[in-house]
Amino acid sequence: MMEDNYFPMKDKNIVYFDNAATTFKPYRVIKKIMDYYNDYNANSHRGDYDISFKVDDEIDNTRNLVKEFINAKYKEEIIFTRNTTNSLNMIVFGYFLNNLNDGDEILLSSSEHASNILPWQILALKKNIKIIFVDSKNEKLEIDDLLSKITNKTKVISVAHITNVSGDKRDIKKICDIAHKKGILVVVDAAQSAPHIKIDVKDLDVDFLAFSAHKMCGPTGVGILYGKYNLLKKMVPFEFGGGMNLTYDENRLKLLDIPYRFEAGTLDLASIIGFSESIKYLNEIGISNIEKKEKELRKYLINELEKIPYIKIYNKDCKGSIVLINIDGILSGDLGLYLNTKGICVRSGKHCAKMGDNKEDTVRISLYFYNTFHEIDYLINVLKNKKEIEEFSK
Ligand SMILES: *Cc1c(COP(=O)(O)O)cnc(C)c1O
C-alpha cells in the first residue's frame, strides 16, 4: 500500500506551486477510482445486487471519513456536492433565501473568493438585503473591524477560514462565539483550510462549512457541504429529481431524509469513492504534520525571497501556505509566464477575489506539504535571473 502513496504528477519535471488552485493526487486515489470502474461499476441506491450494494457501502464509507475528518456530530450533516462553489450556492439559496427577511444584513470580507461573494450578491438582488463588506488591510482581516460592523440587522457572517488570496487565517472560533451570542449564523468557506489545518466543526461551532476534495489530494467533482443538523432540517433542496424523493404523485412530494434530499441525481460516485483514499492518506500523514511542514517551507521560502532585493513580498504577516510576490517594473503576468518557461507553475492575477483591496496583480506561490526545499531553491535561483526576466517581459 505504501508504494501507492507516490504522486504520478511529481515525475513530470515541473515544479508545482499552484496548490491553492488544485493539488496533485497520490496514486492510491487514482487507483481507487479505477477500481470502481473496473470492478463494481454500478449506480448507488438503484440496484438490488451486490455491486450496487458495494457502491452504497463505499459512498457511506467516504461520508463517515469526512465526518471524522472535520469532527461533525452526525454523518447526516455531510452532504456531497460538486465543489465549494456548489456548496456555498446551496447554503445561500437553500437556506438563506428562505430564512432572511427584508432589511437583514450579511457581513462578508472584501477578500473573499468570488464563490463566497456572487451568490450573496444574487441573493441580495432577489431580496431587499444589504451586504456589508469589511475591508482587509495589508491582506489581513482584522477581526475587530469585522465585529464592529455587526448591527442588530446582521443575520449572517460568511468568511473564508483561510483566504486563497493571501493565506490570511481568521479566528473562526471567536467569530462564531460572538456571532452566536447575537443570534447571527456563521458560514465558513474552508476550501483553503481543510487541506492544510485541523478542522473541528464542533469546537469552532460553525453553522455551515464548505470545501472541495480536489484541493486536498482528492478528485475533482466532489465538494462537501457541512451544516448543523437542525439547520439542514430547515434547508430546502436546491435541485429536484431522482434519488432525493421518497414518493410523489401529482401534487405531493415527500422528501428523503437528510442528507439524501440534497443529493439529487447521480453523484460523481467514482470521485466520492476516490476521495476516501485522500482522507485516509492525509490522516496517515497527520494534518498537524502537514501544517508543520508547510510552515517550514513557507518560512524558508520567505527567508530566501527576502535575500533578493528587487522582490516585493506582500503577505508576510499571514499564516497560510501562500506567498504573494512581484518584481518592480515587471508585470506579474509576465513573471508567471517566465516561470512557466522554467517549468515552474504559479498563478498571477487577482486570484478569483476581485473585490479585494490588493488592487495590484501579484504572483501567487501556493505550497502544499509535498513541495520540497529543493524546489524552493530552484525557484529562487530562477528568480535571480533579473536580466533574463526583464528581457523576457519586453
Ligand atoms: C478554490 C476556492 C473556492 C472555489 O472552489 P471550487 O472547487 O472551484 O468550487 C472557494 N473559496 C476558496 C477560498 C477557494 O480557494
Side-chain angles (χ1 to χ4, degrees):
M1 203 57 187
M2 281 309 281
E3 67 272 21
D4 287 350
N5 283 344
Y6 77 97
F7 290 74
M9 281 301 296
K10 289 233 123 195
D11 306 332
K12 302 285 187 274
N13 248 332
I14 51 172
V15 172
Y16 186 74
F17 286 142
D18 195 18
N19 293 289
T22 197
T23 62
F24 290 165
K25 311 3 170 164
Y27 183 69
R28 63 194 278 182
V29 172
I30 300 165
K31 183 168 176 298
K32 185 83 181 176
I33 294 169
M34 289 195 299
D35 287 348
Y36 163 72
Y37 286 121
N38 284 328
D39 300 333
Y40 53 100
N41 185 140
N43 211 326
S44 60
H45 304 303
R46 311 280 160 98
D48 290 311
Y49 45 87
D50 287 349
I51 56 171
S52 179
F53 297 146
K54 163 82 171 156
V55 174
D56 288 341
D57 288 348
E58 289 286 345
I59 298 293
D60 202 45
N61 176 43
T62 305
R63 207 185 299 275
N64 265 316
L65 284 164
V66 174
K67 170 200 173 266
E68 298 293 325
F69 191 75
I70 62 170
N71 197 29
K73 202 162 174 187
Y74 311 108
K75 74 171 184 196
E76 289 76 13
E77 294 173 323
I78 308 299
I79 296 160
F80 292 119
T81 65
R82 292 195 311 278
N83 47 42
T84 303
T85 305
N86 187 206
S87 298
L88 289 168
N89 274 275
M90 280 174 71
I91 295 166
V92 171
F93 297 109
Y95 186 86
F96 288 100
L97 179 63
N98 303 298
N99 287 285
L100 292 185
N101 297 308
D102 272 14
D104 285 348
E105 292 177 0
I106 299 166
L107 270 187
L108 305 176
S109 94
S110 60
S111 50
E112 293 306 305
H113 190 283
S115 299
N116 193 25
I117 289 186
L118 298 184
W120 297 109
Q121 285 189 316
I122 301 300
L123 177 71
L125 286 177
K126 281 179 190 275
K127 298 195 127 189
N128 189 17
I129 287 168
K130 217 162 119 194
I131 298 178
I132 312 286
F133 284 105
V134 186
D135 281 337
S136 39
K137 298 183 192 86
N138 301 324
E139 320 298 336
K140 263 180 81 120
L141 174 72
E142 295 301 334
I143 199 160
D144 290 339
D145 285 351
L146 178 79
L147 300 175
S148 72
K149 295 272 165 86
I150 292 177
T151 72
N152 57 9
K153 297 197 176 113
T154 311
K155 291 290 150 57
V156 49
I157 297 174
S158 186
V159 287
H161 196 172
I162 295 179
T163 74
N164 61 301
V165 182
S166 64
D168 177 30
K169 183 178 165 191
R170 282 79 180 262
D171 188 344
I172 298 298
K173 192 169 170 164
K174 184 169 172 194
I175 293 173
C176 287
D177 185 40
I178 291 168
H180 289 159
K181 285 187 182 128
K182 298 173 192 276
I184 300 166
L185 295 178
V186 179
V187 177
V188 171
D189 172 353
Q192 294 297 342
S193 57
H196 302 280
I197 61 171
K198 176 69 194 160
I199 298 217
D200 183 330
V201 291
K202 267 191 271 183
D203 180 55
L204 296 173
D205 202 22
V206 296
D207 299 296
F208 291 102
L209 183 106
F211 57 98
S212 297
H214 71 92
K215 291 185 180 182
M216 46 197 293
C217 293
T220 53
V222 189
I224 299 298
L225 160 48
Y226 160 83
K228 281 182 184 162
Y229 192 82
N230 64 331
L231 295 174
L232 292 179
K233 275 279 183 203
K234 288 199 276 176
M235 191 163 99
V236 177
F238 180 54
E239 289 181 314
F240 295 84
M244 56 88 74
N245 57 284
L246 214 49
T247 54
Y248 61 93
D249 55 31
E250 287 98 84
N251 46 32
R252 252 172 52 91
L253 169 70
K254 190 169 181 321
L255 297 176
L256 277 183
D257 218 334
I258 295 165
Y260 306 109
R261 66 173 62 164
F262 302 114
E263 296 175 349
T266 300
L267 298 168
D268 190 340
L269 302 170
S271 292
I272 293 170
I273 290 169
F275 187 37
S276 67
E277 282 301 313
S278 326
I279 298 178
K280 283 188 200 163
Y281 174 68
L282 296 178
N283 283 340
E284 280 168 26
I285 299 172
I287 203 88
S288 60
N289 291 325
I290 289 173
E291 198 180 344
K292 193 162 148 258
K293 171 81 187 292
E294 290 177 19
K295 256 192 198 142
E296 288 165 11
L297 288 167
R298 182 176 192 278
K299 193 169 162 214
Y300 182 72
L301 172 60
I302 289 181
N303 213 28
E304 293 302 301
L305 285 170
E306 279 181 327
K307 293 181 191 161
I308 309 176
Y310 50 84
I311 300 245
K312 179 173 175 194
I313 310 172
Y314 289 75
N315 61 333
K316 274 184 232 172
D317 295 341
C318 297
K319 291 206 169 67
S321 303
I322 289 173
V323 178
L324 298 176
I325 62 164
N326 259 326
I327 293 181
D328 248 359
I330 307 284
L331 290 175
S332 59
D334 286 346
L335 181 56
L337 287 173
Y338 173 76
L339 293 175
N340 177 48
T341 67
K342 303 289 178 189
I344 300 172
C345 310
V346 295
R347 182 70 74 92
S348 61
K350 297 199 197 312
H351 321 300
C352 299
K354 308 224 166 27
M355 301 282 304
D357 51 350
N358 65 323
K359 302 283 185 321
E360 283 173 73
D361 286 3
T362 52
V363 167
R364 181 182 71 184
I365 304 159
S366 57
L367 306 165
Y368 208 19
F369 64 92
Y370 51 57
N371 285 126
T372 63
F373 295 100
H374 184 71
E375 288 174 325
I376 292 174
D377 287 339
Y378 176 70
L379 168 73
I380 294 295
N381 273 327
V382 167
L383 286 171
K384 283 180 180 163
N385 302 331
K386 187 159 189 230
K387 278 223 157 57
E388 210 180 291
I389 297 170
E390 281 168 347
E391 210 46 49
F392 180 89
S393 75
K394 267 188 190 146

